Amino acid sequence: MKMALKSTISFTFFSLLMLALANGSNAGKIAIYWGQNGNEGTLAEACATGNYEYVIIAFLPTFGNGQTPMINLAGHCDPYSNECTGLSSDIKSCQAKGIKVLLSIGGGAGSYSIASTQDASNVATYLWNNFLGGQSSSRPLGPAVLDGIDFDIEGGSNQHWGDLARYLKGFNKKVYITAAPQCPFPDAWIGNALTTGLFDYVWVQFYNNPPCQYNPGEISNFEDAWKQWISGIPANKIFLGLPASPTAAGTGFIPAADLTSTVLPAIKGSAKYGGVMLWSRYDDVQSGYSSSIKSHV
């Protein structure tokens, strides 16, 4: 009897442990964009909330085609007087908490394009030496080594982004390469690059795109778009990109109640489901959106 009881208890404990591990492995994560509003608080403060697993510094909007690369972090610091090197300690404090910190290149209002394969190599070398594991005397964010590069390509050209990703991975395969395409599939700018299999995470912008975003009471177009993304590109994980408040985008905000009751249950069963990406930290501070959804993601 004692043997049988012990076996039953052990089996039950093992089953519960396996269930917990399975649920943990499927748990989604939250990515946030930080850097485009000086009133959103510091990078260290964002990481201290415990709400985010990925923080994306936005943006490096000027690069490529012979241009001198230049970051723009709105009201946070002046890159022209090397003020942004002070972010290094914040980056390290985030990483000490296990948070991955990436630099987003591009954006909606930048001046960027990759003119050739050689240009892609040049830009990759610049990014490696100035933000990643390489060496440079003029690192814009100081000595901290970022975890990866995010491609938020919304203009310029649709050429050579795959080359850029390939060169970056060539420096170190552990460099995270992510992207933020629009939800119409395939993305007009980096659709080709996303087929390379070099992208670790893709946070699809399901906003400002009414035909494929979730609309209250109508989920089928959104579900169809989601299925295209999870089946159409060889990325490790696909994230649901959303505005963090009603004012963060023109369309596409999903109230937390709708997200947790309707939208997330429709996509969380996907093996490639990674979590939720939010634009942006400023809007999240105003709305408290990440706090209200974190336990459901």
Side-chain angles (χ1 to χ4, degrees):
M1 275 304 275
K2 287 181 179 176
M3 287 288 287
L5 181 61
K6 186 176 180 182
S7 298
T8 303
I9 292 171
S10 298
F11 178 76
T12 303
F13 176 76
F14 180 75
S15 299
L16 290 171
L17 180 62
M18 289 296 100
L19 184 63
L21 288 172
N23 288 338
S25 64
N26 291 330
K29 298 175 178 179
I30 297 179
I32 192 86
Y33 279 83
W34 175 95
Q36 283 302 293
N37 192 306
N39 297 316
E40 65 196 335
T42 67
L43 182 63
E45 287 167 346
C47 293
T49 63
N51 287 355
Y52 320 117
E53 282 81 12
Y54 305 97
V55 176
I56 309 150
I57 298 174
F59 289 105
L60 179 81
T62 304
F63 64 88
N65 203 18
Q67 299 178 93
T68 300
M70 182 58 65
I71 57 171
N72 180 335
L73 301 182
H76 287 288
C77 55
D78 175 17
Y80 291 94
S81 58
N82 286 327
E83 268 186 9
C84 301
T85 56
L87 279 171
S88 202
S89 58
D90 282 26
I91 293 166
K92 290 176 181 177
S93 77
C94 293
Q95 292 169 329
K97 295 176 171 68
I99 297 166
K100 303 300 182 189
V101 184
L102 299 93
L103 173 70
S104 187
I105 63 172
S111 167
Y112 53 85
S113 64
I114 304 290
S116 63
T117 304
Q118 182 59 52
D119 194 25
S121 175
N122 295 343
V123 172
T125 300
Y126 172 82
L127 292 171
W128 172 254
N129 286 334
N130 286 276
F131 297 100
L132 300 168
Q135 299 292 323
S136 170
S137 60
S138 58
R139 291 174 68 94
L141 302 179
V145 176
L146 297 180
D147 296 290
I149 301 294
D150 174 61
F151 291 44
D152 182 17
I153 307 305
E154 302 183 38
S157 161
N158 63 3
Q159 300 296 305
H160 303 295
W161 300 113
D163 293 330
L164 179 57
R166 193 172 297 110
Y167 283 122
L168 286 168
K169 285 285 190 183
F171 283 112
N172 189 331
K173 285 184 168 56
K174 293 181 179 178
V175 170
Y176 284 87
I177 305 293
T178 66
Q182 309 291 312
C183 62
F185 186 90
D187 181 80
W189 301 109
I190 52 169
N192 290 337
L194 293 176
T195 65
T196 61
L198 296 167
F199 288 79
D200 298 287
Y201 306 131
V202 176
W203 7 80
V204 184
Q205 296 184 44
F206 283 94
Y207 53 93
N208 292 336
N209 288 290
C212 50
Q213 70 195 29
Y214 170 76
N215 294 297
E218 203 294 297
I219 197 172
S220 58
N221 287 350
F222 164 76
E223 283 187 300
D224 290 344
W226 177 263
K227 287 170 185 171
Q228 277 190 306
W229 279 102
I230 62 172
S231 62
I233 57 168
N236 293 346
K237 295 291 182 183
I238 308 293
F239 284 62
L240 169 64
L242 296 174
S245 78
T247 57
T251 60
F253 176 74
I254 304 176
D258 289 2
L259 182 73
T260 57
S261 67
T262 304
V263 178
L264 289 179
I267 64 174
K268 284 184 74 173
S270 313
K272 283 192 175 181
Y273 169 76
V276 173
M277 173 274 278
L278 297 177
W279 174 270
S280 64
R281 170 63 182 161
Y282 172 77
D283 300 282
D284 195 33
V285 170
Q286 306 303 308
S287 67
Y289 194 71
S290 65
S291 294
S292 63
I293 68 169
K294 183 166 177 61
S295 63
H296 300 274
V297 172

